[in-house]
Amino acid sequence: METKILVLGVGGAGCNIVDKVYASIKSYPYVNNVRVVAINTDRQSLTNLKSVKDYIVLGKKGRGAGSDPERGKELALESWREGYLERLKFDDTVDYDLIIVIAGLGGGTGTGAGPVIVKYLKENFKEAVVLSILILPDTDEYGEKTEMANRGLSEFYRISDALMIIDNAEIIDVSKPLSEAYEPANEFTKNVVITILDICEMYGKPNIDFADVQNALNQAKKSSKFVFITSLEFPNKDLITDSEINSRLLDLKRKTAVASFRGASSLIVGAFHNGDLPSQKVKDFVEFLKSEIIQGGKSPLVKRGDYKTQDKIIRFGIIIGGVDMDSRIKRVLSTTYPERVLEEVYEGNS
């Protein structure tokens, strides 16, 4: 049976990103294995997406959540009760294997409705692994929005199998107009999703199958729950050096709020090239990442794959499960908010 993957955008930021994802994979041979859906409280936002036409409006009027997470939560719960979320199901015989939920934190829909959607997914697709990719607000939005984002992060953390953080403050291009400044963050997140899809769905020698990716995400669930996923591109094999890899990884850790790879539970590396990349280069690349992870003599579970493509660019897709997050994220997750736990909030909706 083919792997079935659901890529789901919740709220404005999430919907914009999945729109880019779908535009990028339309011509991919595995596109039929992937369903891309946008969910928002703002009907106008959904109808103006360029590529994704598979969407769900939360709330009868579709007028948005007014940047109020409680309102977003209410509208999602209402849609759950009234059966609108049933449209996420394939049919009675096909289940999802992997679900990727993308949401921005700090607003009304991604922050408030997002955890409700994940809870619904967990209850209705019990065999699926749910990965939440969450986008933090920019620095000029710190304050009350940060508090809302923190609460959303805590709720996503409780119910997701694995999480990845994208920090807008570290990625946006401040030299561009506001309408374009967030495009680098959108593109970065899109590439994270494409990396997962390529590793899961393309065939290599040796191959990385979906079970390997599933195992890496499940291993992360047993430790920090956080994963690091990215692609590194090189124009030629001579540029694949330890210093260059290290420099790029430092920048990517900063953008994804990762403090360290030390002690990570799993490492997956897919090498994508046109056939002239020496195997020693791939082994050296994997060994470099392993050296970043090994702690107390304990090595991670390692899986590597080799994929022949038509591209001249050499690309390494990386998935590291169980990474160590920076102090901001740890501080948020160690704080107990005086609210009902999720199980109580969603009581009666299952």
Side-chain angles (χ1 to χ4, degrees):
M1 185 180 292
E2 293 180 328
T3 302
K4 290 294 184 182
I5 298 172
L6 172 64
V7 180
L8 186 64
V10 183
C15 290
N16 288 335
I17 292 165
V18 297
D19 202 43
K20 291 179 175 294
V21 169
Y22 190 65
S24 297
I25 67 171
K26 275 184 176 179
S27 60
Y28 281 29
Y30 57 68
V31 68
N32 291 332
N33 295 1
V34 183
R35 184 181 177 195
V36 182
V37 182
I39 295 182
N40 207 346
T41 55
D42 181 354
R43 183 186 300 274
Q44 195 173 40
S45 168
L46 292 169
T47 57
N48 279 281
L49 295 174
K50 294 180 180 179
S51 298
V52 175
K53 302 304 175 186
D54 190 354
Y55 61 78
I56 297 173
V57 182
L58 300 178
K60 294 182 177 67
K61 296 182 179 180
R63 294 179 180 174
S67 298
D68 181 357
E70 287 302 315
R71 180 60 177 158
K73 182 181 292 184
E74 290 171 9
L75 292 172
L77 288 168
E78 175 188 305
S79 296
W80 185 347
R81 285 191 297 267
E82 297 188 3
Y84 295 123
L85 299 185
E86 296 295 300
R87 290 176 50 198
L88 290 173
K89 296 181 178 179
F90 264 121
D91 56 43
D92 292 336
T93 61
V94 178
D95 204 348
Y96 296 115
D97 299 292
L98 172 64
I99 301 174
I100 303 170
V101 178
I102 305 170
L105 296 180
T109 306
T111 310
V116 177
I117 303 301
V118 173
K119 180 69 173 177
Y120 171 85
L121 295 168
K122 291 292 292 179
E123 291 197 6
N124 287 273
F125 307 103
K126 297 184 185 298
E127 299 300 317
V129 178
V130 179
L131 166 66
S132 294
I133 300 177
L134 308 175
I135 299 100
L136 299 181
D138 195 6
T139 50
D140 65 342
E141 300 174 302
Y142 284 5
E144 184 178 352
K145 193 166 186 177
T146 305
E147 285 302 307
M148 291 191 294
N150 290 347
R151 291 171 185 248
L153 171 59
S154 295
E155 292 199 355
F156 269 105
Y157 183 81
R158 290 189 188 105
I159 54 176
S160 302
D161 294 316
L163 301 93
M164 181 172 179
I165 299 295
I166 309 293
D167 192 348
N168 254 338
E170 298 291 345
I171 297 182
I172 69 162
D173 188 344
V174 295
S175 68
K176 291 186 176 181
L178 195 59
S179 61
E180 302 173 15
Y182 291 94
E183 281 305 301
N186 293 344
E187 190 70 17
F188 183 91
T189 312
K190 180 206 77 176
N191 288 335
V192 167
V193 178
I194 297 297
T195 297
I196 299 169
L197 297 179
D198 282 348
I199 290 175
C200 282
E201 296 302 302
M202 292 181 68
Y203 179 70
K205 295 182 179 179
N207 188 49
I208 300 169
D209 57 33
F210 172 75
D212 296 314
V213 175
Q214 184 180 45
N215 187 45
L217 297 178
N218 281 328
Q219 288 293 323
K221 183 168 59 175
K222 297 175 183 178
S223 53
S224 73
K225 270 198 178 186
F226 286 98
V227 298
F228 174 86
I229 303 168
T230 195
S231 288
L232 296 184
E233 295 186 349
F234 300 89
N236 62 69
K237 59 181 181 293
D238 295 329
L239 295 177
I240 308 172
T241 63
D242 286 358
S243 60
E244 180 66 18
I245 297 168
N246 185 57
S247 174
R248 298 214 205 164
L249 288 177
L250 285 173
D251 179 57
L252 291 168
K253 287 176 187 175
R254 180 173 49 83
K255 292 176 178 177
T256 55
V258 171
S260 171
F261 296 152
R262 293 191 69 191
S265 53
S266 55
L267 168 64
I268 288 178
V269 176
F272 300 84
H273 56 94
N274 62 8
D276 63 353
L277 180 65
S279 60
Q280 188 61 49
K281 280 289 185 181
V282 180
K283 292 178 67 176
D284 290 345
F285 188 91
V286 172
E287 286 299 325
F288 179 86
L289 291 176
K290 277 181 64 179
S291 70
E292 293 275 302
I293 294 170
I294 292 173
Q295 185 176 29
K298 184 178 179 181
S299 296
L301 179 66
V302 178
K303 183 77 178 189
R304 55 184 170 88
D306 196 73
Y307 303 86
K308 191 172 182 180
T309 69
Q310 300 300 314
D311 298 331
K312 293 182 179 179
I313 296 290
I314 298 167
R315 178 166 59 96
F316 289 95
I318 305 166
I319 300 176
I320 303 176
V323 296
D324 184 28
M325 301 304 288
D326 71 22
S327 57
R328 294 173 300 160
I329 305 301
K330 291 179 179 178
R331 191 161 51 246
V332 169
L333 297 178
S334 65
T335 302
T336 302
Y337 292 103
E339 295 182 343
R340 292 173 296 167
V341 296
L342 281 174
E343 286 71 18
E344 295 172 342
V345 173
Y346 305 123
E347 187 176 354
N349 285 281
S350 56

